[in-house]
Amino acid sequence: MFVQQLEPVHGSLGLSALIATLPLVTVLVLLGAVRMKAHRAGPTGLVVAALVGWLGYGMPLGQTASSAAQGALFGLFPIMWIVVNALWVYRMTVRTHHFDILRRSFGRLSDDPRIQALVIAFCFGALLEALAGFGAPVAICSVMLVALGFDPVRAAVVCLVANTAPVAFGAMGTPVVTLAQVTGLPLDVVASVVGRQTPLLALVVPLVLVGLVDGKRGLRETWAPALVCGLAFAVVQFAAANYVSAQLADIGAALAGAGALVAVPGARRPAAEPVRAAVLTGARSEDLDEEDPRPEVARAYAPYVLIVVIFSVAQIPAAKDWLARANQVFDWPFLNVADPHGEPVSGNVFTLPLVSTGGTLVLIAGVATALVLGVHARVAVREWLGTVYELRFAILTVTSVLALAYVMNLSGQAATIGHFVAAAGAGLAFLSPVLGWFGVAVSGSDTSANALFGALQVTAAQQSGLSPELLAAANSSGGVLGKMISPQNLTIACAAVGLAGREGDLLRKVLPWSLGLLLVMCLIVFAQSTVVLSWMLP
C-alpha cells in the first residue's frame, strides 16, 4: 500500500507545495507563454506529474502508471464518449442539410437582430453546449449570425459572451461529472451548488448581449424579452440541476429560454429599419428566403427532441435503476493507495457506467436520428468515424489532462497544494472562482480546469473550514467566465467567421466582460460562504 504524504520534501509544506505545482506550471506555461498546442502540452504535463509523484512523493512507478491509466480511461469513457456521439448527431444533420433548414427556421422567428442574437447565440448556443460543448456553440452560432447579416466581429463577440451560463453543464454535464469524480463529492450535491450560482449569470448575459448588438438603444428597446429569456433559462437550469438531472439542465434551460422569448408580446415584431441597417452590416445569406416544407422542418428539430425524450425517460426511477444494473464496479488493478490518515482512497475502486452514461444515451438518440433523417447505415458509420478523426487532438488533450489530474490526486500532490493554499482562510472563497477562470482561460475547457483544480479546491476548503462543495462548485462556475477569452475559443470564433489572425481584436472586446462577470461571481461565492447568502446553499 502507498500512503500519501503531505510534506515529502524535507518535511516542509511550502517546499512540497512548490514541487507539487510543477505539473500545473508546466501545462500553463506551455499553453500560455510557449503557445504549445494543448494536445502536446497535456502529455508533457503528465510526464512531469508522473516524475513528481514517483521521485518527489515516493509513489511506486507501477501505481503512478496505473493512476494515469485510470484517468485516461475516464477521459475516454464517459467524457469523450459523450462529445463524440453528440457531434456525430450534428454532423448527420449537416450531411442531410437539415441543419440549414433549422438555421432558416430560426431566422424566421424574428427579423429583429437583437432577438435573433438571443435565440441563436444564447438559446441555441446553450443547446449546442448541452449536447457537445468544446467550442461547437461558438463555431456554429457565429456562422449562423453571419448568414443572417451580422458583421463577423460582432457575431463572434456575441457568441463568445453568450457561451458562459451553460458551460458548467455542457456536453451532458461533463464538467460537473468530472468535478464530482476527481473530488469524491456526490454528483447531485456538486450539481446542486453549481445550479445555485450559474443561473445568476443567466439573468445578466441576455441583457449584455442585446447591448453588444445594438448598444444603449438595444438595451432600452429589448430589455423585457432579454430579461424574460434569462429568467426562464435561470429558473429551469436551477430546477433541473437541483431536482432533475445535471445532464438535462442546459437542454431544459435552452428550450425554456427560447420558448419564453418567443412568447413575449412584441418579440416577433419587425425591427425598425434604422436598427437593421445599424446592426446587419454584413452580407445576408440568399438561401434564407427559401421555403421549407413543414415535414422537413419537423425532421430538422427531431434530433434534439429525441435527445430530450431519451434522457427524460432515462431519469424515470425504474429506467434509471434498470440502466444502472449494467454498471461495472471493480478494484482498479495495480493501485492500492491510502490517504495520509491510512484510509483507502476512493480511486482504488472504478465504476464503468456502460449504458447509463450520457454518451450511450446520445448514441441511441443518434441511431434514431439516422433513421428519422434517412441516413444510410454505411454513411452514419462513416460520419461517426469522421467525428472521431475530427476530435483526435481533443481526445488526446482530455485523456492526458485527466491522467495528469489522477496522478496528482492519487500521489498526494493536489492535497499538498490544497493544504498550502488554505492559508488564505476566508479569503479563499473570494479567490476560488479566479482559479477556475484561470484554468479555463488557459485550457479552453471547464472540464479540464475542474480536473486540474477540483481536488485542490476541496482540500483547501477542508483545511480552512469552508464548504468543500461550495469551493468545488466555484471552480466550475468561475471557469465558465474564462471560456470567452481562452485562445482555443478565440481561434475557433475567428476561423468560423473568416477573421483568422484577429484573435487579439476579439480578446480586447470580450476581456472586460469576462473580468466584470468574474468579479460578480467572486462576490456571489464569497457571500455564499457567509451568513449573507449561505441560505442559498443546499
Side-chain angles (χ1 to χ4, degrees):
M1 175 179 284
F2 166 69
V3 180
Q4 297 172 346
Q5 302 177 63
L6 291 177
E7 303 172 351
V9 182
H10 296 296
S12 168
L13 182 63
L15 283 176
S16 300
L18 185 64
I19 297 299
T21 59
L22 287 177
L24 298 177
V25 171
T26 299
V27 173
L28 298 179
V29 168
L30 290 178
L31 287 172
V34 181
R35 298 190 178 278
M36 180 182 286
K37 297 291 185 182
H39 64 272
R40 294 194 179 99
T44 305
L46 170 59
V47 171
V48 175
L51 289 174
V52 172
W54 177 38
L55 299 175
Y57 279 73
M59 190 179 198
L61 192 57
Q63 297 211 46
T64 303
S66 181
S67 60
Q70 184 180 149
L73 177 59
F74 182 70
L76 284 174
F77 193 97
I79 302 303
M80 292 310 297
W81 179 238
I82 297 171
V83 179
V84 166
N85 290 320
L87 281 181
W88 174 53
V89 173
Y90 164 71
R91 281 174 63 110
M92 286 193 290
T93 65
V94 172
R95 175 75 181 233
T96 60
H97 301 291
H98 284 90
F99 181 75
D100 292 330
I101 296 173
L102 188 68
R103 174 170 55 84
R104 287 193 288 269
S105 175
F106 286 158
R108 294 189 192 99
L109 287 174
S110 172
D111 74 343
D112 188 326
R114 300 163 300 190
I115 302 299
Q116 289 173 342
L118 292 176
V119 171
I120 294 173
F122 187 69
C123 298
F124 187 60
L127 186 61
L128 291 174
E129 182 67 36
L131 302 179
F134 290 88
V138 171
I140 295 167
C141 294
S142 296
V143 171
M144 292 176 74
L145 289 180
V146 169
L148 291 172
F150 276 68
D151 169 72
V153 173
R154 198 193 308 257
V157 170
V158 166
C159 291
L160 285 167
V161 174
N163 192 217
T164 48
V167 168
F169 296 102
M172 296 301 176
T174 296
V176 291
V177 170
T178 302
L179 186 61
Q181 181 74 15
V182 300
T183 59
L185 299 173
L187 173 59
D188 57 343
V189 177
V190 172
S192 177
V193 180
V194 175
R196 296 165 193 239
Q197 294 171 344
T198 56
L200 298 176
L201 292 176
L203 295 173
V204 179
V205 170
L207 296 170
V208 173
L209 295 182
V210 296
L212 286 171
V213 172
D214 194 29
K216 293 180 180 178
R217 178 179 57 185
L219 196 57
R220 184 176 63 252
E221 295 180 359
T222 55
W223 68 267
L227 188 60
V228 169
C229 176
L231 182 61
F233 186 101
V235 169
V236 173
Q237 190 185 59
F238 161 77
N242 280 272
Y243 307 113
V244 183
S245 163
Q247 287 87 347
L248 289 175
D250 279 350
I251 294 177
L255 297 176
L261 182 61
V262 173
V264 174
R268 301 185 66 175
R269 189 168 51 233
E273 191 55 40
V275 173
R276 294 180 53 77
V279 176
L280 302 181
T281 55
R284 184 175 181 273
S285 178
E286 294 180 0
D287 73 341
L288 289 172
D289 298 322
E290 292 183 20
E291 287 293 332
D292 298 304
R294 287 190 176 182
E296 291 304 307
V297 175
R299 292 173 75 190
Y301 282 90
Y304 308 102
V305 174
L306 286 168
I307 289 174
V308 172
V309 170
I310 289 172
F311 270 82
S312 299
V313 170
Q315 298 307 312
I316 298 173
K320 198 171 185 177
D321 293 341
W322 182 76
L323 292 171
R325 291 175 191 167
N327 291 355
Q328 300 294 312
V329 182
F330 54 90
D331 292 331
W332 188 257
F334 310 113
L335 196 65
N336 187 12
V337 179
D339 63 22
H341 304 293
E343 298 294 327
V345 300
S346 59
N348 294 332
V349 178
F350 191 78
T351 301
L352 198 63
L354 295 174
V355 182
S356 60
T357 186
T360 302
L361 297 178
V362 176
L363 177 65
I364 295 170
V367 173
T369 295
L371 294 173
V372 171
L373 300 185
V375 180
H376 191 278
R378 183 175 60 254
V379 175
V381 171
R382 190 184 307 134
E383 288 294 331
W384 192 90
L385 294 175
T387 304
V388 174
Y389 181 77
E390 179 185 339
L391 290 172
R392 63 193 184 282
F393 294 130
I395 291 172
L396 178 57
T397 299
V398 171
T399 52
S400 60
V401 168
L402 264 297
L404 180 157
Y406 270 61
V407 169
M408 289 190 66
N409 294 343
L410 290 171
S411 66
Q413 296 172 56
T416 296
I417 299 172
H419 278 72
F420 183 76
V421 171
L428 185 61
F430 182 85
L431 296 173
S432 58
V434 178
L435 193 59
W437 174 85
F438 184 67
V440 176
V442 173
S443 70
S445 166
D446 201 36
T447 299
S448 296
N450 285 345
L452 290 172
F453 300 130
L456 185 158
Q457 296 264 25
V458 167
T459 303
Q462 291 169 338
Q463 293 303 307
S464 57
L466 296 170
S467 164
E469 294 82 6
L470 175 62
L471 293 204
N475 193 82
S476 193
S477 298
V480 307
L481 300 168
K483 187 94 167 178
M484 69 178 83
I485 63 167
S486 70
Q488 173 183 308
N489 248 24
L490 291 170
T491 302
I492 289 171
C494 284
V497 298
L499 296 173
R502 295 186 59 185
E503 289 85 355
D505 294 340
L506 291 186
L507 176 61
R508 283 189 290 274
K509 289 182 178 294
V510 299
L511 181 59
W513 294 108
S514 177
L515 292 174
L517 292 171
L518 174 63
L519 176 60
V520 172
M521 183 55 66
C522 289
L523 293 172
I524 290 171
V525 173
F526 179 73
Q528 288 179 331
S529 71
T530 68
V531 294
V532 177
L533 290 182
S534 59
W535 52 269
M536 289 183 65
L537 300 180

